[in-house]
Amino acid sequence: MRIEKNFSLKDHNTFHLPVCTRWFMEYDNEDELGRILRDEYFQELRSLHIGAGSNLLFVADFNGIIVHSRIRGIHVARETDTEVILRIGAAEPWDDVVRYAVSRGWGGIENLSHIPGEAGAAAVQNIGAYGVELKDVVDSVETFNQLTFEPHTYTVDACQYAYRRSIFKDEQRDPHIVTHLNLRLQKRPVLHLDYAPLRDAIGALASPTVSDVREAVGTIRRSKLPDPAELGNAGSFYKNPVITAEHAARIQQQYPAMPSYPQADGSLKLAAGWLIDRCGLKGRQIGGAAVHDKQALVLVNKGSATAADVRALSDLICKTVHEKFGITLHSEPDWLPPSFQAA
Ligand code: EPU
């Protein structure tokens, strides 16, 4: 176990904003987690469990306890001739899990290559990229209840997965901390090449493998998305908005080439990055915060961004997109505290 007081979170959020927490605690197993949660002093303070901080925006100091898992490990829990159930500790870096699976030729998560963050947070967030969402391969999620201190295993259905959502995102409804993730991977993979740039990159190969997909995803990501180790960011800064077909048709009259993705209920999902780009905001900078010049959906820390810079830039983006397209953007990373969130 590790306990620190007045601890900087600069290296625990990939946007690298300069904020502090009153307490920072890390645990190595469920027993230690139980001891932290049972502590009377701890119970009086506000607490927040984080992963690698790749989807969090700390915009003020945190007057409470930040808790972080150090439960690691990737093991084969069960296997058949066709499938493998992989049990993964929540603190395992997500991309180490993908590398492990791909190096053995097991399919299911290769499209999710190179996403920053930890396995536990991936299960909370239902990460998605290039036509695959984590929910497609989740077998079950093991958790620790913060109120009853009991372990529980959620089947994939019980996780209530949706676009970047799960039951674990709503702590009011479900006070569970993810400890392990169980994935169902395929020994004879069927590749998912629906995403056009991926199909274009792989299409020419005679019999592409999961390694080829991982490599192509790496190339596509590097061309658009900044590496948080080099340029602070929190991935997509907004969710892709879903609007009515009538609203989309009005925009399409002016922009026939606007990308849109039909949803099951007849509505259309648009690309927030495209909308921001059309507003001419790519590269726009306020203080140390900027709209990434290769992908308008990502805001970056040019090195000295403050929380106020990020908020001012986000306010400008939301206001401009709303004025031009009548669409309200919603933030994708969680803001802390949430009341600072612009939209
Ligand atoms: N576009 C522009 N200008 C831009 C950015 C995008 O015109 O500056 C256009 C693109 O040309 C494309 C469309 O918008 O036609 C969509 O862009 P892209 O394919 O890059 O995907 P995205 O919608 O911007 C989503 C996810 C990403 C994920 C990619 C690939 C969300 C919020 N974001 O981005 O996830 O990697 O698809 O599947 O759903 C993340 O969640 O942090 C993340 C990076």
Side-chain angles (χ1 to χ4, degrees):
M1 193 178 324
R2 173 184 180 200
I3 302 180
E4 307 276 354
K5 196 171 181 193
N6 296 331
F7 184 75
S8 168
L9 292 169
K10 205 160 187 227
D11 295 331
H12 289 269
N13 75 99
T14 58
F15 217 95
H16 303 309
L17 289 179
V19 289
C20 274
T21 175
R22 191 155 147 208
W23 292 99
F24 180 78
M25 296 190 187
E26 289 187 310
Y27 57 90
D28 293 284
N29 50 52
E30 284 88 337
D31 283 349
E32 287 184 0
L33 174 59
R35 257 191 282 151
I36 294 174
L37 296 178
R38 280 188 180 90
D39 187 291
E40 277 178 25
Y41 178 70
F42 173 89
Q43 287 180 348
E44 277 171 19
L45 292 178
R46 193 172 161 226
S47 69
L48 176 75
H49 197 286
I50 65 166
S54 61
N55 205 51
L56 280 179
L57 206 62
F58 284 108
V59 284
D61 285 344
F62 189 80
N63 186 19
I65 306 178
I66 297 287
V67 185
H68 181 235
S69 169
R70 287 200 301 211
I71 301 178
R72 300 285 295 262
I74 307 176
H75 305 288
V76 174
R78 297 194 302 281
E79 67 181 307
T80 65
D81 289 349
T82 55
E83 285 185 347
V84 179
I85 303 290
L86 212 54
R87 184 170 189 257
I88 301 142
E92 204 59 53
W94 170 252
D95 198 50
D96 288 2
V97 180
V98 182
R99 192 185 307 111
Y100 181 101
V102 166
S103 68
R104 284 157 179 79
W106 299 336
I109 50 176
E110 58 280 0
N111 293 44
L112 304 179
S113 289
H114 305 293
I115 296 179
E118 294 173 359
V124 172
Q125 173 73 1
N126 185 24
I127 56 171
Y130 311 112
V132 171
E133 282 187 321
L134 191 73
K135 70 170 174 52
D136 303 334
V137 292
V138 168
D139 176 70
S140 61
V141 176
E142 296 172 43
T143 64
F144 192 85
N145 188 310
Q146 296 188 60
L147 301 178
T148 65
F149 315 120
E150 279 167 5
H152 183 72
T153 299
Y154 283 78
T155 62
V156 61
D157 289 341
C159 295
Q160 299 183 17
Y161 280 125
Y163 174 57
R164 301 293 194 273
R165 283 209 70 78
S166 73
I167 194 168
F168 313 114
K169 278 215 89 164
D170 189 346
E171 282 208 20
Q172 299 305 319
R173 273 170 56 217
D174 192 274
H176 284 253
I177 289 173
V178 174
T179 55
H180 291 88
L181 170 62
N182 293 291
L183 297 182
R184 182 182 297 275
L185 302 178
Q186 303 303 319
K187 289 186 177 173
R188 292 173 210 142
V190 177
L191 302 186
H192 295 277
L193 303 177
D194 310 331
Y195 186 81
L198 189 56
R199 203 169 47 237
D200 295 346
I202 297 283
L205 302 176
S207 46
T209 63
V210 287
S211 296
D212 295 323
V213 173
R214 176 170 168 79
E215 206 180 306
V217 165
T219 307
I220 295 170
R221 287 186 70 94
R222 276 191 300 277
S223 71
K224 294 185 180 183
L225 296 169
D227 179 351
E230 289 161 20
L231 198 57
N233 73 89
S236 299
F237 204 85
Y238 301 100
K239 288 183 184 158
N240 283 333
V242 176
I243 62 171
T244 63
E246 294 75 37
H247 190 169
R250 286 201 299 278
I251 303 175
Q252 266 156 344
Q253 278 177 357
Q254 200 184 348
Y255 297 99
M258 175 177 73
S260 63
Y261 313 97
Q263 305 296 292
D265 63 358
S267 59
L268 288 170
K269 189 184 268 187
L270 305 186
W274 183 92
L275 297 169
I276 298 166
D277 201 358
R278 290 293 85 65
C279 290
L281 290 168
K282 215 181 225 175
R284 175 66 71 92
Q285 187 162 346
I286 295 184
V291 180
H292 188 45
D293 49 13
K294 291 185 194 150
Q295 160 62 293
L297 188 55
V298 177
L299 303 195
V300 295
N301 181 353
K302 290 279 193 173
S304 58
T306 62
D309 296 340
V310 177
R311 191 167 177 204
L313 184 61
S314 182
D315 284 349
L316 173 72
I317 292 167
C318 291
K319 186 167 164 280
T320 313
V321 167
H322 192 265
E323 278 170 8
K324 191 169 171 70
F325 296 108
I327 293 172
T328 303
L329 293 180
H330 293 283
S331 177
E332 209 256 346
D334 295 327
W335 291 55
L336 285 158
S339 52
F340 279 67
Q341 197 163 317

